[in-house]
Amino acid sequence: MKENQDIKNSPIIVKLPILISLTLAGGILVGATFFGGHNKMAGVTKGFNKYREVLSLVETSYVDSVNTDTLVDYSIKKMLEKLDPHTSYFSADEAALAKAPLEAGFDGIGIEFNVFNDTVYIVSALPNGPSSSAGIKSGDKIIKVNGASLTGPKVTNAFIYSKLRGQRGSEVKLDILPYGEKTLKTFNVTRDRIPSYSVSAGYMIDNQTGYIKIDRFSETTYDEFKNTLSDLKNANMKRLVLDLRGNPGGYKDRAEKIVDELLGGEKLIVYTDGKGTQYDSQTFTKRDGIFEKGALTLIVDEGSASAAEIVAGALQDNDRALIVGRRSFGKGLVQMPVNLSDGSELRLTISRYYTPSGRSIQKPYTLGKEDEYEKDYDQRSKSGEFYSADSIKFNEKLKYRTVGGRTVYGGGGITPDVFIPRDTTMFTKYLYELLGKNIIREYALDYANDNRKALEKMTFKDFNKLFVITDAMLSDMQKLARRSDVKLRENDFNRSKPYIKTQIKAYIARNIWQNKGKNGLNNEYFQVMAQMDETLQKSLTYIDKAEKMARGELVETISHNSRKQ
């Protein structure tokens, strides 16, 4: 690892906690040999004995009955609040839910659903999946599952998942009201493994430019990315836009492998630094990647975190990609998952991520003041950081150099090379009400089902070029909104009209052309929405800078232009 000898961070050392996990029968001490020696454990043993004594007294002598498991879970969570913002504890049920988005799939019936007016509508049934094979189609309503009603205000996403998901091979009885019919039909569906995808789009913007969007870094992300990248390269892609907006992170090694496909030579990707050397590591590129040359633009925003920031930091510090958008989240603490005996999980911070130039990705925080940490988003908005490059401030004490000699700054998150402000002009209260009640999506589903035969005669290319959302269609959508108690706000509607029209069209395209052998890619939706994506459109105007960077030229960035303090 090569560090800049003149400019470097002084890492903040966070004392690691020892988890005390208690059960009704007594106490289990986790980590005596794992985290430290005898002397360090003396204080922990004293504290453990005190805690066990209090818990025993509550159990045996407190005036009312208590749920000791609940008390233990609560006390662990409150203890961890005194540490960094990302050390956390999950009960067994919470741990299962937290892991689900990163797993390769789940056992279920293979549908995508939409809750509209307290009723579950099927948006799509996975081709060749359990529901599709049973004859269930988009637009159908699920009324009951194994006799339990799936209508009414109690129908939340969590409730629906609890009823539809289950062990592979198990059977579930569905009472379905088919689209356009008035008589219930019963379907017996056998649950199966349903694949989960994390690369949501991968298509050619033009005859040279490819676009890939990664939603998270899950078990299958690298394979999905590699396959998509290969397809685009075979389509004569010369330059790539990689979109990591809103990506909360996930598996570190998947992020590193993706960097390795884009960055040539033996280059440092990321390193970690913890207490002592036990959790210190360095990761370098080591294979011949698919797209190591050619212009590369990477889009990030305030929702890009953790593993997404590893990718952005590695490509920026090695002068491989032009980073555009807004400053990323700033989550640079490494958590180690520790599975506890009752199925619960501790995610313990053991080290920090650093970019190749030596920047800590983690934004500042004060121990035990999680509320302040969580207000960072609001502070960025109030300071104008989302809207103006002039609002971005740099700390001269945290100055670093990229491999090519460009100036970059630490202080939390990855600051882009090119700033693109948020565009909120079309986001009105009326639009938020439509989105909150799934009005636009439901209208588009109905329209697609009513006009499916005519739409399927078109190619998506012709649809995207020629199909127009008419005023009559907007009027029908407004009627649907009024039936759902969303009152028309004329001024809001006029402001939001271009966005509403585009999203209706995008959802129609999704309902007609998605899932036709494309491994979970939602290209049609994103291609339609691209015309309203101000950040994407502006990023394409900076392709020339990305091309200069790909040729090894030094390009001007906001780090060189902005006022500093």
Side-chain angles (χ1 to χ4, degrees):
M1 174 184 66
K2 294 182 180 180
E3 295 188 39
N4 188 298
Q5 299 301 315
D6 298 321
I7 312 170
K8 59 184 179 179
N9 271 356
S10 298
I12 302 171
I13 299 175
V14 180
K15 293 184 178 180
L16 299 181
I18 305 300
L19 171 69
I20 300 174
S21 178
L22 299 176
T23 65
L24 287 174
I28 301 173
L29 185 61
V30 179
T33 59
F34 193 75
F35 294 113
H38 176 76
N39 290 337
K40 293 182 179 180
M41 294 306 300
V44 172
T45 302
K46 181 179 178 181
F48 166 73
N49 289 334
K50 182 195 293 186
Y51 186 72
R52 179 173 58 182
E53 185 178 3
V54 171
L55 190 64
S56 297
L57 285 169
V58 170
E59 173 69 15
T60 58
S61 304
Y62 183 67
V63 63
D64 296 321
S65 297
V66 295
N67 185 321
T68 314
D69 286 342
T70 300
L71 289 179
V72 170
D73 283 356
Y74 178 78
S75 62
I76 293 174
K77 289 180 178 180
K78 296 304 288 185
M79 174 182 69
L80 299 182
E81 286 179 6
K82 297 297 183 182
L83 305 178
D84 67 88
H86 296 292
T87 291
S88 54
Y89 167 82
F90 297 91
S91 67
D93 290 341
E94 291 169 340
L97 288 173
K99 291 176 183 176
L102 299 180
E103 293 177 345
F106 56 88
D107 294 343
I109 65 171
I111 64 165
E112 181 185 354
F113 62 84
N114 182 38
V115 180
F116 179 69
N117 286 345
D118 298 332
T119 301
V120 180
Y121 288 75
I122 295 175
V123 174
S124 64
L126 182 71
N128 302 316
S131 294
S132 176
S133 299
I136 297 171
K137 299 180 176 64
S138 67
D140 293 352
K141 303 175 186 176
I142 306 179
I143 307 302
K144 291 183 179 180
V145 179
N146 289 332
S149 175
L150 222 60
T151 60
K154 71 177 183 299
V155 181
T156 62
N157 285 344
F159 181 77
I160 296 167
Y161 289 141
S162 71
K163 298 299 180 184
L164 297 182
R165 293 185 180 182
Q167 188 174 0
R168 192 182 326 182
S170 61
E171 191 173 82
V172 57
K173 177 183 175 183
L174 303 176
D175 289 328
I176 299 284
L177 184 61
Y179 181 78
E181 299 184 22
K182 297 182 179 180
T183 305
L184 285 177
K185 290 185 179 179
T186 299
F187 295 83
N188 292 308
V189 178
T190 301
R191 296 182 177 98
D192 202 350
R193 190 66 175 172
I194 309 302
S196 177
Y197 300 103
S198 56
V199 176
S200 57
Y203 61 86
M204 293 295 290
I205 295 175
D206 55 38
N207 60 3
Q208 293 188 74
T209 312
Y211 172 84
I212 298 177
K213 180 170 177 57
I214 304 177
D215 294 328
R216 60 191 176 279
F217 292 95
S218 68
E219 289 179 357
T220 60
T221 300
Y222 171 64
D223 292 332
E224 293 177 55
F225 174 80
K226 189 176 179 180
N227 291 336
T228 303
L229 188 65
S230 295
D231 289 344
L232 296 182
K233 189 77 182 297
N234 292 335
N236 202 37
M237 179 182 69
K238 305 297 183 187
R239 49 201 193 190
L240 172 65
V241 177
L242 179 59
D243 192 346
L244 298 184
R245 285 175 292 176
N247 185 318
Y251 290 119
K252 171 177 174 281
D253 64 324
R254 272 58 166 193
E256 293 165 346
K257 288 180 179 179
I258 285 173
V259 172
D260 210 347
E261 294 297 336
L262 304 171
L263 181 61
E266 187 176 349
K267 307 285 181 57
L268 181 61
I269 297 174
V270 66
Y271 69 93
T272 62
D273 186 21
K275 178 185 288 185
T277 60
Q278 184 177 3
Y279 300 113
D280 294 353
S281 67
Q282 298 176 338
T283 305
F284 292 84
T285 56
K286 57 186 177 183
R287 64 171 63 86
D288 292 331
I290 296 172
F291 192 68
E292 293 182 349
K293 297 181 180 180
L296 177 59
T297 302
L298 176 62
I299 311 177
V300 296
D301 66 6
E302 54 280 353
S304 308
S306 192
E309 294 174 293
I310 289 176
V311 174
L315 296 176
Q316 186 179 52
D317 282 2
N318 283 289
D319 298 297
R320 175 65 188 97
L322 184 76
I323 312 299
V324 304
R326 295 178 296 280
R327 182 163 63 97
S328 62
F329 181 86
K331 197 271 187 184
L333 296 174
V334 186
Q335 281 71 53
M336 177 181 66
V338 181
N339 296 317
L340 305 180
S341 59
D342 64 346
S344 59
E345 180 181 278
L346 171 71
R347 294 189 180 180
L348 184 65
T349 296
I350 56 170
S351 58
R352 285 180 170 78
Y353 291 128
Y354 292 87
T355 70
S357 67
R359 290 180 291 166
S360 171
I361 294 173
Q362 180 62 41
K363 61 188 176 185
Y365 63 89
T366 302
L367 292 178
K369 295 187 177 181
E370 191 171 337
D371 289 345
E372 291 182 6
Y373 185 80
E374 292 175 350
K375 292 177 181 177
D376 177 66
Y377 184 93
D378 292 335
Q379 306 246 344
R380 294 195 200 189
S381 180
K382 291 176 182 177
S383 71
E385 185 180 329
F386 292 156
Y387 311 104
S388 171
D390 290 338
S391 298
I392 300 174
K393 308 301 180 185
F394 296 101
N395 187 340
E396 287 294 307
K397 295 180 181 179
L398 299 176
K399 183 188 292 186
Y400 300 83
R401 302 288 182 187
T402 68
V403 169
R406 292 188 301 131
T407 300
V408 289
Y409 288 88
I414 303 298
T415 299
D417 300 314
V418 175
F419 174 78
I420 300 177
R422 291 181 65 181
D423 182 9
T424 59
T425 54
M426 286 181 285
F427 285 81
T428 63
K429 185 174 181 179
Y430 181 67
L431 177 60
Y432 283 126
E433 289 179 345
L434 293 177
L435 296 174
K437 292 197 173 184
N438 288 325
I439 305 296
I440 297 175
R441 189 172 179 179
E442 189 61 27
Y443 172 75
L445 175 61
D446 287 344
Y447 184 91
N449 284 327
D450 288 341
N451 298 274
R452 184 170 294 276
K453 289 183 179 180
L455 290 167
E456 287 181 339
K457 291 179 181 179
M458 304 175 69
T459 64
F460 168 71
K461 185 177 181 180
D462 287 340
F463 171 87
N464 195 25
K465 183 178 179 180
L466 302 172
F467 188 85
V468 176
I469 304 298
T470 65
D471 288 341
M473 294 173 68
L474 291 175
S475 179
D476 289 341
M477 186 219 65
Q478 290 170 355
K479 291 175 184 176
L480 181 64
R482 283 194 292 270
R483 290 198 295 270
S484 300
D485 297 324
V486 177
K487 295 180 181 179
L488 177 63
R489 301 169 185 268
E490 197 70 43
N491 290 336
D492 281 4
F493 173 73
N494 290 331
R495 276 180 57 194
S496 301
K497 186 176 179 179
Y499 187 90
I500 293 170
K501 291 175 68 174
T502 304
Q503 192 162 70
I504 290 174
K505 183 174 178 178
Y507 275 128
I508 292 172
R510 187 172 187 260
N511 287 321
I512 298 297
W513 285 283
Q514 191 190 7
N515 289 330
K516 295 185 183 296
K518 292 180 296 186
N519 297 324
L521 296 179
N522 196 1
N523 287 342
E524 292 78 20
Y525 177 86
F526 283 98
Q527 283 178 271
V528 174
M529 288 303 299
Q531 62 183 290
M532 298 303 300
D533 189 340
E534 190 74 12
T535 299
L536 174 58
Q537 294 303 323
K538 285 188 176 180
S539 73
L540 296 175
T541 67
Y542 296 105
I543 287 287
D544 60 331
K545 283 194 173 187
E547 289 178 332
K548 287 181 180 179
M549 186 173 287
R551 294 193 297 265
E553 299 178 27
L554 189 65
V555 300
E556 191 177 68
T557 68
I558 60 173
S559 296
H560 297 293
N561 289 334
S562 296
R563 297 189 303 271
K564 306 175 181 68
Q565 67 175 22

